[in-house]
Amino acid sequence: MRSSGADASRAVSPRTREECLALDAADPLAAYRASFKLPPGIIYLDGNSLGVLTVAAAQRIEQTTTAEWGTDLIQSWNIHGWINMPARLGARIAPLVGAAADEVMVCDSTSVNLFKLASAAARSRGNRSKIITERGNFPTDAYMLQGLTALVPGLELQMLPREQIATAIDRDTFLVVLTHVHYQSAELFDMTALTARAHAAGARILWDLSHSVGALPIDLSAARADFAIGCTYKYLNGGPGAPAFMYVRRDLQGDLQPVLSGWLGHAKPFDFVDEYAPAEGMTRHRCGTPPMLSFAALDGALSVFEHIDMNLVRQKSIALSELFIALIEAQGPETALELASPRDPERRGSHVSFAHVDGYALIQQLIGRGVIGDFRAPKLMRFGFTPLYLRYVDIWDAVQILREELDRWRRHGPAAVTRHAVT
Ligand SMILES: *Cc1c(COP(=O)(O)O)cnc(C)c1O
């Protein structure tokens, strides 16, 4: 049952390690693995949280520190184009989210960019007062909106279960903030349908693409999305704390007035005048001096995505996730693992969560064996599938190790572990 990686998602799941090796041999994405500096002896199922260092990022950091900062010092802002990096990297991310080059900019963190866009949208809300988001959304999204509503008199934040959101969007709503792929369950929102729903009520919508970008094809333009934000240190491998991106649809850019009106968002920052005047387009959403070493890492990391076919990435992501689920569930109910992600791969992003009473201890046991996943309270074990550096055989081996650790758990109970600050 050899099959090409391209149609692996529709193929029968491999039943032996040899069949996994055969799928790897036929995988059209296999060559990408060499672009990554994977530490030996581990199976990394956490690229949805912190992507792996790329060869190109390591080289680019080295170049920026020695040849640019270390040699040309402050002139580097001009001669190495540092000052335009937010727009340049935005233009490179644009094709991955279905946007035009001048609709995306890289700057600040995802949290800050959410506040920037939501507060700017609040300035032009007319007599509408309501922001809607999902209860159980990634906490920073809710926290940032809580800060905004505490600051601006009359604003109201409604946090609703996902199935109530579409009907709650009304004539009083000016902004809907949704995360495309849920960070716990990996459940996907229908971007096109919810965007249309928001627009039908005259509201704008902001999509958080943190768990989507680099993992699945996204088309903000086709969906007519208004705003978007997202992380670059997850599937894009930009490095720990890498700068985030933000997107504003072009026809909305002229009317959107920043609240965080920093000097580099000024029309003429080097005139150093006292009164703020916004720059054109996305540039007005820049705040302060961009962190060049972090930009260098992201610049390198993005070269891996330069000519990528995101449909192939998606197909392999589905094939790997389906294989993982099938191999785990084949072990029967005594594992006490319960799938906490949608069973339908079309409704799921690129990670899979299983609930388990001793989930934290089990994740720590797995990490001790070189299989890196993570844990999200209260009981989710989360496993990310990154098709550019994971092989089918890695999934096979990871599940064998998980099986051994589950056996140990059944015989001896959970390993004694202390809870780390980062889970
Ligand atoms: C990871 C993630 C963030 C992280 O925001 P930071 O400002 O980079 O810490 C925000 N939102 C979602 C949905 C995420 O998954």
Side-chain angles (χ1 to χ4, degrees):
M1 50 158 276
R2 290 176 73 94
S3 90
S4 83
D7 55 25
S9 63
R10 270 159 274 131
V12 184
S13 259
R15 283 160 304 183
T16 63
R17 195 169 190 279
E18 286 61 43
E19 287 176 354
C20 290
L21 290 170
L23 285 176
D24 288 324
D27 176 7
L29 297 176
Y32 279 97
R33 189 172 159 89
S35 308
F36 293 87
K37 286 167 105 62
L38 284 158
I42 66 152
I43 299 175
Y44 194 66
L45 305 181
D46 218 355
N48 55 311
S49 217
L50 175 64
V52 170
L53 174 65
T54 55
V55 176
Q59 283 170 350
R60 191 70 180 82
I61 294 168
E62 171 65 19
Q63 179 194 340
T64 301
T65 47
T66 52
E68 299 180 5
W69 180 24
T71 306
D72 295 317
L73 286 168
I74 198 164
Q75 294 183 82
S76 299
W77 288 105
N78 291 315
I79 61 181
H80 298 299
W82 286 0
I83 196 67
N84 297 323
M85 283 281 263
R88 272 198 353 250
L89 296 198
R92 294 178 69 192
I93 290 175
L96 297 172
V97 295
D102 63 354
E103 293 177 315
V104 183
M105 190 169 61
V106 172
C107 54
D108 304 305
S109 66
T110 303
S111 304
V112 170
N113 286 340
L114 187 148
F115 187 87
K116 283 156 65 179
L117 286 174
S119 58
R123 283 183 84 166
S124 55
R125 71 187 187 279
N127 50 17
R128 295 174 182 236
S129 64
K130 204 164 72 177
I131 303 176
I132 293 179
T133 194
E134 184 191 3
R135 186 167 289 285
N137 191 357
F138 189 84
T140 206
D141 298 50
Y143 298 167
M144 282 299 189
L145 296 172
Q146 288 164 14
L148 178 64
T149 49
L151 177 73
V152 181
L155 282 199
E156 183 202 346
L157 176 65
Q158 231 177 28
M159 293 175 42
L160 299 166
R162 66 169 47 207
E163 59 280 2
Q164 290 177 23
I165 287 170
T167 49
I169 303 171
D170 61 11
R171 297 265 147 209
D172 194 29
T173 308
F174 70 92
L175 186 66
V176 181
V177 178
L178 296 177
T179 299
H180 186 218
V181 173
H182 197 277
Y183 77 107
Q184 293 212 355
S185 69
E187 185 165 358
L188 268 166
F189 270 115
D190 183 336
M191 180 184 284
T192 306
L194 274 141
T195 301
R197 178 71 196 83
H199 290 173
R204 303 254 178 250
I205 194 158
L206 187 163
W207 288 102
D208 187 332
L209 303 176
S210 291
H211 278 279
S212 320
V213 66
L216 55 155
I218 301 164
D219 200 336
L220 291 169
S221 301
R224 294 287 298 154
D226 302 296
F227 312 122
I229 53 170
C231 292
T232 66
Y233 52 76
K234 293 170 177 167
Y235 294 96
L236 293 182
N237 314 300
F245 67 91
M246 61 190 288
Y247 156 91
V248 178
R249 207 179 63 223
R250 192 185 287 116
D251 60 296
L252 303 176
Q253 290 178 6
D255 290 333
L256 200 67
Q257 297 295 326
V259 173
L260 297 191
S261 39
W263 75 295
L264 286 180
H266 191 279
K268 293 183 172 162
F270 286 87
D271 282 3
F272 294 103
V273 296
D274 285 333
E275 299 302 326
Y276 178 78
E280 290 297 309
M282 295 302 290
T283 306
R284 65 179 58 178
H285 299 288
R286 288 179 64 163
C287 287
T289 309
M292 265 319 120
L293 300 183
S294 298
F295 270 75
L298 178 59
D299 194 24
L302 286 175
S303 61
V304 172
F305 283 88
E306 212 114 83
H307 303 292
I308 207 143
D309 179 349
M310 286 307 297
N311 292 308
L312 280 186
V313 174
R314 175 65 169 155
Q315 281 168 15
K316 185 176 169 192
S317 152
I318 289 177
L320 294 175
S321 314
E322 291 286 276
L323 173 61
F324 184 75
I325 294 171
L327 290 175
I328 284 185
E329 293 193 334
Q331 296 172 48
E334 62 272 25
T335 62
L337 284 166
E338 197 185 318
L339 183 64
S341 295
R343 190 164 291 280
D344 175 2
E346 301 299 333
R347 291 183 47 229
R348 202 169 64 215
S350 203
H351 69 269
V352 169
S353 293
F354 278 93
H356 193 283
V357 274
D358 288 318
Y360 186 70
L362 271 169
I363 280 286
Q364 293 304 311
Q365 286 174 237
L366 281 178
I367 292 172
R369 300 278 315 272
V371 176
I372 319 279
D374 65 18
F375 176 78
R376 287 295 173 263
K379 58 177 183 176
L380 287 191
M381 301 168 70
R382 201 169 62 149
F383 303 96
F385 300 97
T386 45
L388 300 186
Y389 49 86
L390 282 176
R391 300 166 299 194
Y392 291 88
V393 75
D394 294 324
I395 307 307
W396 180 273
D397 292 344
V399 175
Q400 296 317 301
I401 291 169
L402 174 59
R403 173 187 302 189
E404 290 165 20
E405 292 309 313
L406 282 164
D407 281 345
R408 191 191 310 275
W409 166 81
R410 270 199 299 271
R411 280 182 278 113
H412 305 295
V417 288
T418 46
R419 190 77 160 250
H420 297 293
V422 176
T423 64

